[in-house]
Amino acid sequence: MQEALRLAASVRGRTSPNPWVGAVLVRGGEIIARGATAPYGGPHAEAAALALADARGADLYCTLEPCVPFPGKRTPPCSEAIIAAGVRRVVVALLDPHVGGAGIQRLRQAGIAVELGDGAEAAADLLRPYLKWRQLGLPYVIAKFAVSLDGAVGAPAEGITWLTGPAAVERVHRDRDWVDAILVGSGTVLADDPALTARPGGAAADRQPVRVVLDARGRISPESRVFAPGAPVIVATSSSSPPAWRQAVLERGAALLELDRPEGRLELRQLLRTLGQRNIQSLIVEGGPTVLSSFFEAELVDEVHAYVTPRILGRAAVPLLPPGTPLPPLHLESVTIEPLPPDVLIRGYTGSWQPPLLPTLAPET
Ligand code: AOF
Ligand code: ZN
């Protein structure tokens, strides 16, 4: 199962809106074939592994429940392929909310021994974006920011966009490289004019995340770098942005979303629902402080990536949450710490949504 999880992780962000899954065929304690989900429309992990070896009498380990037929399906169902291949036993880490146990049932019906739950926690952890999107229809939200030792958020000085060193910048690009979308506010576009592309190893990635800009009043220039070709752009605005500006943004090839703006703030839940409908399963909110605090305030953040940088900026700290925000203090869960010299990444979950582990299945008969 560990090898299946490694295979799944190796295609993270390459299969959307399909979940990234790994599968391993084993006979006599030896791995005889490996598979990972192909890009959307291509073979699933199980099918990929089954195509590589004679599976009669073998055991199959998969990180997600094998699929069953459904209308509009693009590939042949894995459960049928497993049965036809003569697999003896299947070990499944996690149920697929889209399949809901029907895959397990079908295999058992065909006389295959199915074991459930080995590696469930690791599989759910790996698939958090897909699981949340399937359950709630909303993308999984990662709030990313850099903070100095004196608690200031944002750029150190005019013209300098990155507070952190090269190792942390590379880490950010590797995250941009797997998520479906990146979001910033108009203030960040005005201050930094970011390209918002994934450039791991310094080179533009083949697959780019969708760029989302929040601009209620139509402040950003249609000449901004975020409109450069290479990745789709969505600009979320309100009824108060000028028609001429909207026209100019559309001419730059961006999609416009008009959101409600109760109390002067864009309706973020409405935005996330719309992004979810567009198959965006994961979103990094990169700033600035105003946008980040709105996401925290609306309790829409699932995961935090805080880069702490050993600088003392000696200017007024920008708080992530405005003083007096009516929120219980947030303690991150499952915290990990990654040294990225000279910076440190503190990563953790807010607990606003929990992945399902093992919903009860009908007992084996
Ligand atoms: C699996 N193995 O590797 C993946 C699965 O339209 P299709 O044929 O690509 O089917 C998409 C559904 O299959 C998707 O919504 C999810 O429920 C499941 N993904 N299933 O057995 C895999 N990626
Ligand atoms: Zn499948």
Side-chain angles (χ1 to χ4, degrees), residues 15 17-22 36-38 40-46 64-68 70 72-76 78-79 96 98-99 130 133-134:
T15 64
N18 238 359
W20 36 92
V21 177
T37 312
Y40 190 42
H44 288 181
E46 298 85 335
L64 194 70
E65 171 180 15
C67 61
V68 293
F70 61 85
K73 196 170 188 329
R74 296 207 177 184
T75 70
C78 293
S79 49
D96 181 348
H98 192 204
V99 176
Y130 172 75
W133 177 78
R134 271 275 173 235

PDB file of all heavy atoms in Angstrom, residues 15 17-22 36-38 40-46 64-68 70 72-76 78-79 96 98-99 130 133-134, ligand 1:
ATOM      1  N   THR A  15      -4.232  14.849 -12.710  1.00  0.00           N
ATOM      2  CA  THR A  15      -5.367  14.007 -13.098  1.00  0.00           C
ATOM      3  C   THR A  15      -6.703  14.750 -12.994  1.00  0.00           C
ATOM      4  O   THR A  15      -7.728  14.211 -13.354  1.00  0.00           O
ATOM      5  CB  THR A  15      -5.448  12.770 -12.185  1.00  0.00           C
ATOM      6  OG1 THR A  15      -5.704  13.214 -10.837  1.00  0.00           O
ATOM      7  CG2 THR A  15      -4.158  11.983 -12.198  1.00  0.00           C
ATOM      8  N   PRO A  17     -10.163  16.681 -13.177  1.00  0.00           N
ATOM      9  CA  PRO A  17     -10.849  16.552 -11.895  1.00  0.00           C
ATOM     10  C   PRO A  17     -10.929  15.119 -11.358  1.00  0.00           C
ATOM     11  O   PRO A  17     -11.673  14.852 -10.418  1.00  0.00           O
ATOM     12  CB  PRO A  17     -12.252  17.072 -12.212  1.00  0.00           C
ATOM     13  CG  PRO A  17     -12.460  16.685 -13.645  1.00  0.00           C
ATOM     14  CD  PRO A  17     -11.114  16.781 -14.304  1.00  0.00           C
ATOM     15  N   ASN A  18     -10.201  14.212 -11.965  1.00  0.00           N
ATOM     16  CA  ASN A  18     -10.135  12.847 -11.443  1.00  0.00           C
ATOM     17  C   ASN A  18      -9.228  12.814 -10.209  1.00  0.00           C
ATOM     18  O   ASN A  18      -8.246  13.559 -10.171  1.00  0.00           O
ATOM     19  CB  ASN A  18      -9.518  11.949 -12.520  1.00  0.00           C
ATOM     20  CG  ASN A  18     -10.431  10.829 -12.905  1.00  0.00           C
ATOM     21  OD1 ASN A  18     -11.516  10.695 -12.367  1.00  0.00           O
ATOM     22  ND2 ASN A  18      -9.994  10.012 -13.840  1.00  0.00           N
ATOM     23  N   PRO A  19      -9.511  11.965  -9.230  1.00  0.00           N
ATOM     24  CA  PRO A  19      -8.580  11.865  -8.097  1.00  0.00           C
ATOM     25  C   PRO A  19      -7.273  11.187  -8.517  1.00  0.00           C
ATOM     26  O   PRO A  19      -7.267  10.376  -9.438  1.00  0.00           O
ATOM     27  CB  PRO A  19      -9.345  10.979  -7.107  1.00  0.00           C
ATOM     28  CG  PRO A  19     -10.297  10.190  -7.955  1.00  0.00           C
ATOM     29  CD  PRO A  19     -10.667  11.078  -9.107  1.00  0.00           C
ATOM     30  N   TRP A  20      -6.168  11.530  -7.847  1.00  0.00           N
ATOM     31  CA  TRP A  20      -4.900  10.844  -8.112  1.00  0.00           C
ATOM     32  C   TRP A  20      -4.865   9.560  -7.278  1.00  0.00           C
ATOM     33  O   TRP A  20      -5.038   9.588  -6.061  1.00  0.00           O
ATOM     34  CB  TRP A  20      -3.698  11.733  -7.852  1.00  0.00           C
ATOM     35  CG  TRP A  20      -3.782  12.705  -6.715  1.00  0.00           C
ATOM     36  CD1 TRP A  20      -3.390  12.504  -5.429  1.00  0.00           C
ATOM     37  CD2 TRP A  20      -4.274  14.053  -6.757  1.00  0.00           C
ATOM     38  NE1 TRP A  20      -3.606  13.624  -4.676  1.00  0.00           N
ATOM     39  CE2 TRP A  20      -4.149  14.595  -5.456  1.00  0.00           C
ATOM     40  CE3 TRP A  20      -4.819  14.859  -7.770  1.00  0.00           C
ATOM     41  CZ2 TRP A  20      -4.540  15.907  -5.142  1.00  0.00           C
ATOM     42  CZ3 TRP A  20      -5.209  16.145  -7.453  1.00  0.00           C
ATOM     43  CH2 TRP A  20      -5.067  16.651  -6.163  1.00  0.00           C
ATOM     44  N   VAL A  21      -4.686   8.445  -7.971  1.00  0.00           N
ATOM     45  CA  VAL A  21      -4.796   7.126  -7.342  1.00  0.00           C
ATOM     46  C   VAL A  21      -3.584   6.293  -7.744  1.00  0.00           C
ATOM     47  O   VAL A  21      -3.042   6.477  -8.836  1.00  0.00           O
ATOM     48  CB  VAL A  21      -6.102   6.430  -7.815  1.00  0.00           C
ATOM     49  CG1 VAL A  21      -6.230   5.025  -7.254  1.00  0.00           C
ATOM     50  CG2 VAL A  21      -7.324   7.267  -7.440  1.00  0.00           C
ATOM     51  N   GLY A  22      -3.156   5.375  -6.851  1.00  0.00           N
ATOM     52  CA  GLY A  22      -2.084   4.453  -7.175  1.00  0.00           C
ATOM     53  C   GLY A  22      -2.563   3.018  -6.997  1.00  0.00           C
ATOM     54  O   GLY A  22      -3.441   2.752  -6.172  1.00  0.00           O
ATOM     55  N   ALA A  36      -0.618   4.285 -12.004  1.00  0.00           N
ATOM     56  CA  ALA A  36      -1.063   5.556 -11.420  1.00  0.00           C
ATOM     57  C   ALA A  36      -2.054   6.177 -12.401  1.00  0.00           C
ATOM     58  O   ALA A  36      -1.978   5.924 -13.611  1.00  0.00           O
ATOM     59  CB  ALA A  36       0.123   6.492 -11.200  1.00  0.00           C
ATOM     60  N   THR A  37      -2.998   6.956 -11.891  1.00  0.00           N
ATOM     61  CA  THR A  37      -4.023   7.565 -12.745  1.00  0.00           C
ATOM     62  C   THR A  37      -3.377   8.427 -13.830  1.00  0.00           C
ATOM     63  O   THR A  37      -2.503   9.243 -13.541  1.00  0.00           O
ATOM     64  CB  THR A  37      -4.968   8.444 -11.905  1.00  0.00           C
ATOM     65  OG1 THR A  37      -5.373   7.704 -10.761  1.00  0.00           O
ATOM     66  CG2 THR A  37      -6.190   8.873 -12.704  1.00  0.00           C
ATOM     67  N   ALA A  38      -3.857   8.250 -15.072  1.00  0.00           N
ATOM     68  CA  ALA A  38      -3.381   9.073 -16.192  1.00  0.00           C
ATOM     69  C   ALA A  38      -4.159  10.390 -16.199  1.00  0.00           C
ATOM     70  O   ALA A  38      -5.183  10.511 -15.525  1.00  0.00           O
ATOM     71  CB  ALA A  38      -3.605   8.319 -17.497  1.00  0.00           C
ATOM     72  N   TYR A  40      -6.832  13.251 -17.082  1.00  0.00           N
ATOM     73  CA  TYR A  40      -8.269  13.060 -17.235  1.00  0.00           C
ATOM     74  C   TYR A  40      -8.643  12.503 -18.608  1.00  0.00           C
ATOM     75  O   TYR A  40      -8.198  13.009 -19.640  1.00  0.00           O
ATOM     76  CB  TYR A  40      -8.987  14.391 -17.016  1.00  0.00           C
ATOM     77  CG  TYR A  40     -10.480  14.253 -16.911  1.00  0.00           C
ATOM     78  CD1 TYR A  40     -11.055  13.225 -16.181  1.00  0.00           C
ATOM     79  CD2 TYR A  40     -11.319  15.163 -17.548  1.00  0.00           C
ATOM     80  CE1 TYR A  40     -12.427  13.097 -16.073  1.00  0.00           C
ATOM     81  CE2 TYR A  40     -12.704  15.044 -17.445  1.00  0.00           C
ATOM     82  CZ  TYR A  40     -13.254  14.011 -16.714  1.00  0.00           C
ATOM     83  OH  TYR A  40     -14.612  13.899 -16.622  1.00  0.00           O
ATOM     84  N   GLY A  41      -9.440  11.425 -18.586  1.00  0.00           N
ATOM     85  CA  GLY A  41      -9.858  10.780 -19.819  1.00  0.00           C
ATOM     86  C   GLY A  41      -9.014   9.549 -20.115  1.00  0.00           C
ATOM     87  O   GLY A  41      -9.411   8.688 -20.889  1.00  0.00           O
ATOM     88  N   GLY A  42      -7.832   9.452 -19.495  1.00  0.00           N
ATOM     89  CA  GLY A  42      -6.929   8.320 -19.692  1.00  0.00           C
ATOM     90  C   GLY A  42      -7.192   7.226 -18.666  1.00  0.00           C
ATOM     91  O   GLY A  42      -8.082   7.354 -17.818  1.00  0.00           O
ATOM     92  N   PRO A  43      -6.430   6.118 -18.752  1.00  0.00           N
ATOM     93  CA  PRO A  43      -6.670   4.971 -17.876  1.00  0.00           C
ATOM     94  C   PRO A  43      -6.508   5.301 -16.389  1.00  0.00           C
ATOM     95  O   PRO A  43      -5.659   6.107 -16.010  1.00  0.00           O
ATOM     96  CB  PRO A  43      -5.606   3.953 -18.287  1.00  0.00           C
ATOM     97  CG  PRO A  43      -5.049   4.422 -19.571  1.00  0.00           C
ATOM     98  CD  PRO A  43      -5.321   5.893 -19.686  1.00  0.00           C
ATOM     99  N   HIS A  44      -7.305   4.630 -15.589  1.00  0.00           N
ATOM    100  CA  HIS A  44      -7.209   4.739 -14.136  1.00  0.00           C
ATOM    101  C   HIS A  44      -6.025   3.894 -13.649  1.00  0.00           C
ATOM    102  O   HIS A  44      -5.495   3.070 -14.400  1.00  0.00           O
ATOM    103  CB  HIS A  44      -8.503   4.247 -13.495  1.00  0.00           C
ATOM    104  CG  HIS A  44      -9.655   5.193 -13.703  1.00  0.00           C
ATOM    105  ND1 HIS A  44     -10.901   4.957 -13.204  1.00  0.00           N
ATOM    106  CD2 HIS A  44      -9.730   6.391 -14.342  1.00  0.00           C
ATOM    107  CE1 HIS A  44     -11.701   5.961 -13.526  1.00  0.00           C
ATOM    108  NE2 HIS A  44     -11.022   6.833 -14.227  1.00  0.00           N
ATOM    109  N   ALA A  45      -5.665   4.086 -12.371  1.00  0.00           N
ATOM    110  CA  ALA A  45      -4.492   3.412 -11.814  1.00  0.00           C
ATOM    111  C   ALA A  45      -4.600   1.887 -11.927  1.00  0.00           C
ATOM    112  O   ALA A  45      -3.650   1.208 -12.338  1.00  0.00           O
ATOM    113  CB  ALA A  45      -4.338   3.821 -10.349  1.00  0.00           C
ATOM    114  N   GLU A  46      -5.785   1.351 -11.565  1.00  0.00           N
ATOM    115  CA  GLU A  46      -5.980  -0.103 -11.568  1.00  0.00           C
ATOM    116  C   GLU A  46      -5.828  -0.653 -12.981  1.00  0.00           C
ATOM    117  O   GLU A  46      -5.144  -1.653 -13.214  1.00  0.00           O
ATOM    118  CB  GLU A  46      -7.373  -0.462 -11.041  1.00  0.00           C
ATOM    119  CG  GLU A  46      -7.642  -0.034  -9.605  1.00  0.00           C
ATOM    120  CD  GLU A  46      -8.127   1.404  -9.473  1.00  0.00           C
ATOM    121  OE1 GLU A  46      -7.832   2.228 -10.372  1.00  0.00           O
ATOM    122  OE2 GLU A  46      -8.793   1.705  -8.476  1.00  0.00           O
ATOM    123  N   LEU A  64      -7.681   3.954  -3.617  1.00  0.00           N
ATOM    124  CA  LEU A  64      -9.076   4.396  -3.632  1.00  0.00           C
ATOM    125  C   LEU A  64      -9.936   3.269  -4.173  1.00  0.00           C
ATOM    126  O   LEU A  64      -9.480   2.469  -4.992  1.00  0.00           O
ATOM    127  CB  LEU A  64      -9.219   5.637  -4.513  1.00  0.00           C
ATOM    128  CG  LEU A  64     -10.525   6.426  -4.394  1.00  0.00           C
ATOM    129  CD1 LEU A  64     -10.597   7.150  -3.043  1.00  0.00           C
ATOM    130  CD2 LEU A  64     -10.651   7.458  -5.519  1.00  0.00           C
ATOM    131  N   GLU A  65     -11.166   3.246  -3.701  1.00  0.00           N
ATOM    132  CA  GLU A  65     -12.122   2.229  -4.158  1.00  0.00           C
ATOM    133  C   GLU A  65     -12.209   2.195  -5.697  1.00  0.00           C
ATOM    134  O   GLU A  65     -12.391   3.234  -6.327  1.00  0.00           O
ATOM    135  CB  GLU A  65     -13.486   2.626  -3.581  1.00  0.00           C
ATOM    136  CG  GLU A  65     -14.639   1.836  -4.107  1.00  0.00           C
ATOM    137  CD  GLU A  65     -15.955   2.297  -3.472  1.00  0.00           C
ATOM    138  OE1 GLU A  65     -15.990   3.385  -2.867  1.00  0.00           O
ATOM    139  OE2 GLU A  65     -16.927   1.541  -3.599  1.00  0.00           O
ATOM    140  N   PRO A  66     -12.119   1.024  -6.316  1.00  0.00           N
ATOM    141  CA  PRO A  66     -12.234   0.949  -7.780  1.00  0.00           C
ATOM    142  C   PRO A  66     -13.619   1.409  -8.247  1.00  0.00           C
ATOM    143  O   PRO A  66     -14.610   1.181  -7.575  1.00  0.00           O
ATOM    144  CB  PRO A  66     -12.020  -0.543  -8.076  1.00  0.00           C
ATOM    145  CG  PRO A  66     -11.273  -1.066  -6.890  1.00  0.00           C
ATOM    146  CD  PRO A  66     -11.785  -0.278  -5.719  1.00  0.00           C
ATOM    147  N   CYS A  67     -13.632   2.044  -9.421  1.00  0.00           N
ATOM    148  CA  CYS A  67     -14.872   2.680  -9.896  1.00  0.00           C
ATOM    149  C   CYS A  67     -15.848   1.667 -10.497  1.00  0.00           C
ATOM    150  O   CYS A  67     -15.490   0.546 -10.826  1.00  0.00           O
ATOM    151  CB  CYS A  67     -14.536   3.778 -10.896  1.00  0.00           C
ATOM    152  SG  CYS A  67     -13.674   3.175 -12.354  1.00  0.00           S
ATOM    153  N   VAL A  68     -17.094   2.115 -10.621  1.00  0.00           N
ATOM    154  CA  VAL A  68     -18.197   1.329 -11.220  1.00  0.00           C
ATOM    155  C   VAL A  68     -18.778   2.167 -12.362  1.00  0.00           C
ATOM    156  O   VAL A  68     -18.503   3.356 -12.444  1.00  0.00           O
ATOM    157  CB  VAL A  68     -19.293   1.013 -10.168  1.00  0.00           C
ATOM    158  CG1 VAL A  68     -18.769   0.064  -9.108  1.00  0.00           C
ATOM    159  CG2 VAL A  68     -19.837   2.287  -9.537  1.00  0.00           C
ATOM    160  N   PHE A  70     -21.044   4.611 -14.536  1.00  0.00           N
ATOM    161  CA  PHE A  70     -22.012   5.682 -14.287  1.00  0.00           C
ATOM    162  C   PHE A  70     -22.164   6.478 -15.593  1.00  0.00           C
ATOM    163  O   PHE A  70     -21.265   6.430 -16.445  1.00  0.00           O
ATOM    164  CB  PHE A  70     -21.580   6.583 -13.107  1.00  0.00           C
ATOM    165  CG  PHE A  70     -20.276   7.303 -13.292  1.00  0.00           C
ATOM    166  CD1 PHE A  70     -20.200   8.521 -13.974  1.00  0.00           C
ATOM    167  CD2 PHE A  70     -19.095   6.766 -12.768  1.00  0.00           C
ATOM    168  CE1 PHE A  70     -18.998   9.185 -14.136  1.00  0.00           C
ATOM    169  CE2 PHE A  70     -17.876   7.432 -12.932  1.00  0.00           C
ATOM    170  CZ  PHE A  70     -17.837   8.641 -13.623  1.00  0.00           C
ATOM    171  N   GLY A  72     -21.931   8.999 -18.488  1.00  0.00           N
ATOM    172  CA  GLY A  72     -20.939  10.014 -18.851  1.00  0.00           C
ATOM    173  C   GLY A  72     -19.517   9.602 -18.519  1.00  0.00           C
ATOM    174  O   GLY A  72     -18.581  10.368 -18.697  1.00  0.00           O
ATOM    175  N   LYS A  73     -19.351   8.363 -18.046  1.00  0.00           N
ATOM    176  CA  LYS A  73     -18.026   7.905 -17.667  1.00  0.00           C
ATOM    177  C   LYS A  73     -17.111   7.813 -18.888  1.00  0.00           C
ATOM    178  O   LYS A  73     -17.538   7.415 -19.964  1.00  0.00           O
ATOM    179  CB  LYS A  73     -18.164   6.517 -17.019  1.00  0.00           C
ATOM    180  CG  LYS A  73     -16.943   6.104 -16.263  1.00  0.00           C
ATOM    181  CD  LYS A  73     -17.218   4.860 -15.440  1.00  0.00           C
ATOM    182  CE  LYS A  73     -16.049   4.560 -14.527  1.00  0.00           C
ATOM    183  NZ  LYS A  73     -14.762   4.964 -15.064  1.00  0.00           N
ATOM    184  N   ARG A  74     -15.845   8.193 -18.692  1.00  0.00           N
ATOM    185  CA  ARG A  74     -14.926   8.248 -19.835  1.00  0.00           C
ATOM    186  C   ARG A  74     -14.135   6.962 -20.063  1.00  0.00           C
ATOM    187  O   ARG A  74     -13.617   6.737 -21.146  1.00  0.00           O
ATOM    188  CB  ARG A  74     -13.929   9.373 -19.618  1.00  0.00           C
ATOM    189  CG  ARG A  74     -14.575  10.727 -19.572  1.00  0.00           C
ATOM    190  CD  ARG A  74     -13.562  11.727 -20.014  1.00  0.00           C
ATOM    191  NE  ARG A  74     -14.110  13.070 -20.064  1.00  0.00           N
ATOM    192  CZ  ARG A  74     -13.416  14.109 -20.510  1.00  0.00           C
ATOM    193  NH1 ARG A  74     -12.189  13.929 -20.952  1.00  0.00           N
ATOM    194  NH2 ARG A  74     -13.936  15.304 -20.535  1.00  0.00           N
ATOM    195  N   THR A  75     -13.946   6.166 -18.990  1.00  0.00           N
ATOM    196  CA  THR A  75     -13.098   4.975 -19.129  1.00  0.00           C
ATOM    197  C   THR A  75     -13.872   3.741 -18.634  1.00  0.00           C
ATOM    198  O   THR A  75     -14.826   3.876 -17.869  1.00  0.00           O
ATOM    199  CB  THR A  75     -11.796   5.109 -18.304  1.00  0.00           C
ATOM    200  OG1 THR A  75     -12.136   5.045 -16.910  1.00  0.00           O
ATOM    201  CG2 THR A  75     -11.073   6.417 -18.577  1.00  0.00           C
ATOM    202  N   PRO A  76     -13.454   2.542 -19.060  1.00  0.00           N
ATOM    203  CA  PRO A  76     -14.157   1.329 -18.592  1.00  0.00           C
ATOM    204  C   PRO A  76     -14.015   1.191 -17.065  1.00  0.00           C
ATOM    205  O   PRO A  76     -12.976   1.543 -16.513  1.00  0.00           O
ATOM    206  CB  PRO A  76     -13.422   0.183 -19.295  1.00  0.00           C
ATOM    207  CG  PRO A  76     -12.572   0.814 -20.344  1.00  0.00           C
ATOM    208  CD  PRO A  76     -12.319   2.231 -19.945  1.00  0.00           C
ATOM    209  N   CYS A  78     -13.157   0.090 -13.440  1.00  0.00           N
ATOM    210  CA  CYS A  78     -12.051  -0.712 -12.910  1.00  0.00           C
ATOM    211  C   CYS A  78     -12.533  -1.975 -12.215  1.00  0.00           C
ATOM    212  O   CYS A  78     -11.877  -3.015 -12.275  1.00  0.00           O
ATOM    213  CB  CYS A  78     -11.226   0.118 -11.930  1.00  0.00           C
ATOM    214  SG  CYS A  78     -10.353   1.456 -12.729  1.00  0.00           S
ATOM    215  N   SER A  79     -13.696  -1.915 -11.524  1.00  0.00           N
ATOM    216  CA  SER A  79     -14.152  -3.103 -10.796  1.00  0.00           C
ATOM    217  C   SER A  79     -14.343  -4.271 -11.776  1.00  0.00           C
ATOM    218  O   SER A  79     -13.937  -5.405 -11.485  1.00  0.00           O
ATOM    219  CB  SER A  79     -15.433  -2.802 -10.026  1.00  0.00           C
ATOM    220  OG  SER A  79     -16.364  -2.168 -10.865  1.00  0.00           O
ATOM    221  N   ASP A  96     -14.380   5.847  -2.283  1.00  0.00           N
ATOM    222  CA  ASP A  96     -14.554   7.027  -3.138  1.00  0.00           C
ATOM    223  C   ASP A  96     -15.976   7.550  -2.920  1.00  0.00           C
ATOM    224  O   ASP A  96     -16.937   6.838  -3.193  1.00  0.00           O
ATOM    225  CB  ASP A  96     -14.344   6.594  -4.601  1.00  0.00           C
ATOM    226  CG  ASP A  96     -14.479   7.759  -5.582  1.00  0.00           C
ATOM    227  OD1 ASP A  96     -14.952   8.840  -5.171  1.00  0.00           O
ATOM    228  OD2 ASP A  96     -14.103   7.567  -6.758  1.00  0.00           O
ATOM    229  N   HIS A  98     -17.707   9.296  -4.579  1.00  0.00           N
ATOM    230  CA  HIS A  98     -18.431   9.269  -5.846  1.00  0.00           C
ATOM    231  C   HIS A  98     -18.986   7.865  -6.125  1.00  0.00           C
ATOM    232  O   HIS A  98     -19.906   7.691  -6.905  1.00  0.00           O
ATOM    233  CB  HIS A  98     -17.470   9.685  -6.972  1.00  0.00           C
ATOM    234  CG  HIS A  98     -18.129   9.975  -8.277  1.00  0.00           C
ATOM    235  ND1 HIS A  98     -17.472   9.879  -9.468  1.00  0.00           N
ATOM    236  CD2 HIS A  98     -19.388  10.366  -8.576  1.00  0.00           C
ATOM    237  CE1 HIS A  98     -18.300  10.200 -10.452  1.00  0.00           C
ATOM    238  NE2 HIS A  98     -19.464  10.500  -9.936  1.00  0.00           N
ATOM    239  N   VAL A  99     -18.395   6.856  -5.528  1.00  0.00           N
ATOM    240  CA  VAL A  99     -18.757   5.454  -5.794  1.00  0.00           C
ATOM    241  C   VAL A  99     -19.534   4.884  -4.605  1.00  0.00           C
ATOM    242  O   VAL A  99     -20.427   4.040  -4.771  1.00  0.00           O
ATOM    243  CB  VAL A  99     -17.477   4.634  -6.090  1.00  0.00           C
ATOM    244  CG1 VAL A  99     -17.765   3.166  -6.274  1.00  0.00           C
ATOM    245  CG2 VAL A  99     -16.763   5.200  -7.323  1.00  0.00           C
ATOM    246  N   TYR A 130      -9.715  16.488  -3.432  1.00  0.00           N
ATOM    247  CA  TYR A 130     -10.774  15.744  -4.120  1.00  0.00           C
ATOM    248  C   TYR A 130     -11.918  15.414  -3.171  1.00  0.00           C
ATOM    249  O   TYR A 130     -13.091  15.577  -3.514  1.00  0.00           O
ATOM    250  CB  TYR A 130     -10.199  14.458  -4.719  1.00  0.00           C
ATOM    251  CG  TYR A 130     -11.255  13.519  -5.282  1.00  0.00           C
ATOM    252  CD1 TYR A 130     -11.875  13.808  -6.493  1.00  0.00           C
ATOM    253  CD2 TYR A 130     -11.640  12.368  -4.594  1.00  0.00           C
ATOM    254  CE1 TYR A 130     -12.855  12.952  -7.003  1.00  0.00           C
ATOM    255  CE2 TYR A 130     -12.619  11.526  -5.099  1.00  0.00           C
ATOM    256  CZ  TYR A 130     -13.217  11.816  -6.309  1.00  0.00           C
ATOM    257  OH  TYR A 130     -14.196  10.981  -6.810  1.00  0.00           O
ATOM    258  N   TRP A 133     -14.041  18.520  -2.292  1.00  0.00           N
ATOM    259  CA  TRP A 133     -14.799  18.943  -3.477  1.00  0.00           C
ATOM    260  C   TRP A 133     -15.967  17.990  -3.734  1.00  0.00           C
ATOM    261  O   TRP A 133     -17.080  18.415  -4.013  1.00  0.00           O
ATOM    262  CB  TRP A 133     -13.840  18.999  -4.666  1.00  0.00           C
ATOM    263  CG  TRP A 133     -14.461  19.334  -5.976  1.00  0.00           C
ATOM    264  CD1 TRP A 133     -14.831  20.575  -6.412  1.00  0.00           C
ATOM    265  CD2 TRP A 133     -14.763  18.420  -7.034  1.00  0.00           C
ATOM    266  NE1 TRP A 133     -15.349  20.480  -7.684  1.00  0.00           N
ATOM    267  CE2 TRP A 133     -15.319  19.178  -8.096  1.00  0.00           C
ATOM    268  CE3 TRP A 133     -14.623  17.036  -7.203  1.00  0.00           C
ATOM    269  CZ2 TRP A 133     -15.729  18.597  -9.302  1.00  0.00           C
ATOM    270  CZ3 TRP A 133     -15.031  16.460  -8.396  1.00  0.00           C
ATOM    271  CH2 TRP A 133     -15.583  17.234  -9.430  1.00  0.00           C
ATOM    272  N   ARG A 134     -15.739  16.700  -3.587  1.00  0.00           N
ATOM    273  CA  ARG A 134     -16.805  15.719  -3.787  1.00  0.00           C
ATOM    274  C   ARG A 134     -17.907  15.864  -2.737  1.00  0.00           C
ATOM    275  O   ARG A 134     -19.077  15.728  -3.034  1.00  0.00           O
ATOM    276  CB  ARG A 134     -16.245  14.299  -3.698  1.00  0.00           C
ATOM    277  CG  ARG A 134     -15.755  13.770  -4.999  1.00  0.00           C
ATOM    278  CD  ARG A 134     -16.877  13.155  -5.817  1.00  0.00           C
ATOM    279  NE  ARG A 134     -16.409  12.796  -7.148  1.00  0.00           N
ATOM    280  CZ  ARG A 134     -16.968  13.200  -8.281  1.00  0.00           C
ATOM    281  NH1 ARG A 134     -18.012  13.991  -8.270  1.00  0.00           N
ATOM    282  NH2 ARG A 134     -16.488  12.823  -9.450  1.00  0.00           N
TER     283      ARG A 134
HETATM  284  C1  AOF B   1     -10.498   4.469 -10.001  1.00  0.00           C
HETATM  285  N1  AOF B   1      -9.174   4.613 -10.236  1.00  0.00           N
HETATM  286  O1  AOF B   1      -7.380   5.850 -10.744  1.00  0.00           O
HETATM  287  C2  AOF B   1      -9.419   6.967 -10.444  1.00  0.00           C
HETATM  288  C3  AOF B   1     -10.813   6.817 -10.138  1.00  0.00           C
HETATM  289  O2  AOF B   1     -14.752   9.303 -16.310  1.00  0.00           O
HETATM  290  P1  AOF B   1     -13.786   8.288 -15.725  1.00  0.00           P
HETATM  291  O3  AOF B   1     -13.943   6.938 -16.334  1.00  0.00           O
HETATM  292  O4  AOF B   1     -12.354   8.767 -15.775  1.00  0.00           O
HETATM  293  O5  AOF B   1     -14.175   8.084 -14.187  1.00  0.00           O
HETATM  294  C4  AOF B   1     -14.026   9.150 -13.279  1.00  0.00           C
HETATM  295  C5  AOF B   1     -14.347   8.711 -11.858  1.00  0.00           C
HETATM  296  O6  AOF B   1     -13.553   7.609 -11.452  1.00  0.00           O
HETATM  297  C6  AOF B   1     -14.026   9.812 -10.849  1.00  0.00           C
HETATM  298  O7  AOF B   1     -15.103  10.702 -10.679  1.00  0.00           O
HETATM  299  C7  AOF B   1     -13.741   9.023  -9.575  1.00  0.00           C
HETATM  300  O8  AOF B   1     -14.941   8.668  -8.934  1.00  0.00           O
HETATM  301  C8  AOF B   1     -13.097   7.756 -10.129  1.00  0.00           C
HETATM  302  N2  AOF B   1     -11.634   7.892 -10.126  1.00  0.00           N
HETATM  303  N3  AOF B   1     -11.279   5.560  -9.917  1.00  0.00           N
HETATM  304  O9  AOF B   1     -11.001   3.345  -9.882  1.00  0.00           O
HETATM  305  C9  AOF B   1      -8.592   5.789 -10.476  1.00  0.00           C
HETATM  306  N4  AOF B   1      -8.877   8.177 -10.708  1.00  0.00           N
END
